[in-house]
Amino acid sequence: MLRDLSKLIDDADSEGHDGDQLQKELRQAAQALWRAQFIYENDWGMKTSYEALRRHTGYFENLFDALGYRVVGRPNDGYVGLVANELPPRQSMKLDESLLLLVLRLHYEEAFTRFEAKEFGEVEVESEQILQIYEDRTHRERPNFGRIKEILAGFRQRGLVRIEDRDDRNFTLFLRPALPIVVSKDTLGSLEEFVSRSTAATAKTDAATEVQA
């Protein structure tokens, strides 16, 4: 990695550019991508890092491959992201967080097939609509509002959603094109499997209650 970095800096200096400035930009771009997981071309304050990631893709691919990640996103996608080469044996997300992520991903795919994606590949949905979809899909009550905002703040930090608050209890959600990368089509099946098990368990409980009555 150090040899690759030194070559980039030396090449920049020999071509009359500022090698020290390039080194700074490469470091900032790597840190930004590591923190955010996905960086978009149109995001405020990310233009320099995004362009550095695009200009020196080979360097960043080698850098993150050594850490167990691959760089994803084609130039026309308008984003650059990081995806683990191998999924960890256990996911650290809680159940409500995992379910909401899967619901967002499913809604994104369905809206995309209906050609509802807007500029930059985003799908817009109101908070009440997506929370009702959450209840319909999972057969579970929605988490409380504070928990919802906590979960979505984490998704926003990872570049999966944008949030525009309308008032204290309502907001507009913009689902971003990184969602299909983070949650693959195979993973979507786990939501349907969970709903099936949950529905069967609920039906069994209801039947047992009727018998006792």
Side-chain angles (χ1 to χ4, degrees):
M1 297 307 109
L2 290 177
R3 183 180 300 175
D4 293 341
L5 178 59
S6 296
K7 185 178 187 307
L8 287 175
I9 294 171
D10 290 342
D11 289 346
D13 286 333
S14 65
E15 294 171 2
H17 303 299
D18 188 339
D20 290 338
Q21 179 62 28
L22 174 61
Q23 182 177 12
K24 179 181 178 181
E25 291 176 358
L26 293 174
R27 182 172 63 250
Q28 289 176 340
Q31 292 172 344
L33 185 58
W34 182 254
R35 285 194 304 267
Q37 188 178 2
F38 284 86
I39 288 179
Y40 292 82
E41 182 179 15
N42 60 303
D43 279 354
W44 185 86
M46 288 297 178
K47 183 176 179 59
T48 299
S49 292
Y50 179 85
E51 290 179 349
L53 288 162
R54 282 292 176 216
R55 285 197 309 269
H56 306 287
T57 301
Y59 167 74
F60 288 108
E61 287 177 341
N62 291 334
L63 173 65
F64 287 111
D65 181 65
L67 299 174
Y69 290 83
R70 71 180 188 274
V71 177
V72 297
R74 298 163 299 181
N76 61 337
D77 290 331
Y79 67 82
V80 178
L82 282 181
V83 177
N85 289 326
E86 295 183 6
L87 292 177
R90 290 186 179 183
Q91 297 297 317
S92 59
M93 290 192 300
K94 294 181 179 179
L95 179 59
D96 57 356
E97 188 178 3
S98 299
L99 288 176
L100 183 55
L101 179 62
L102 289 166
V103 168
L104 296 181
R105 168 63 174 88
L106 187 61
H107 183 74
Y108 182 93
E109 169 132 344
E110 293 173 346
F112 196 86
T113 58
R114 295 193 298 265
F115 303 100
E116 295 175 2
K118 299 182 181 296
E119 190 177 15
F120 309 120
E122 296 180 336
V123 169
E124 180 178 346
V125 60
E126 297 301 318
S127 55
E128 181 56 33
Q129 180 185 355
I130 200 66
L131 293 177
Q132 187 59 54
I133 293 173
Y134 177 95
E135 293 183 340
D136 294 342
R137 293 281 187 178
T138 66
H139 297 193
R140 297 172 65 93
E141 291 186 3
R142 68 186 66 178
N144 65 58
F145 189 76
R147 175 59 178 157
I148 288 290
K149 293 303 289 286
E150 178 186 358
I151 294 173
L152 291 177
F155 292 168
R156 177 174 55 189
Q157 185 177 1
R158 296 170 60 189
L160 304 180
V161 301
R162 284 196 305 112
I163 306 171
E164 289 186 3
D165 291 319
R166 298 180 59 187
D167 53 47
D168 291 341
R169 303 294 298 181
N170 297 282
F171 55 86
T172 301
L173 201 59
F174 296 86
L175 312 183
R176 312 196 78 176
L179 272 169
I181 306 298
V182 173
V183 186
S184 66
K185 287 187 177 181
D186 291 338
T187 309
L188 281 175
S190 64
L191 175 60
E192 300 300 335
E193 182 181 351
F194 173 84
V195 171
S196 178
R197 292 200 309 267
S198 177
T199 302
T202 300
K204 185 176 180 180
T205 301
D206 291 343
T209 301
E210 292 177 1
V211 170
Q212 291 176 359

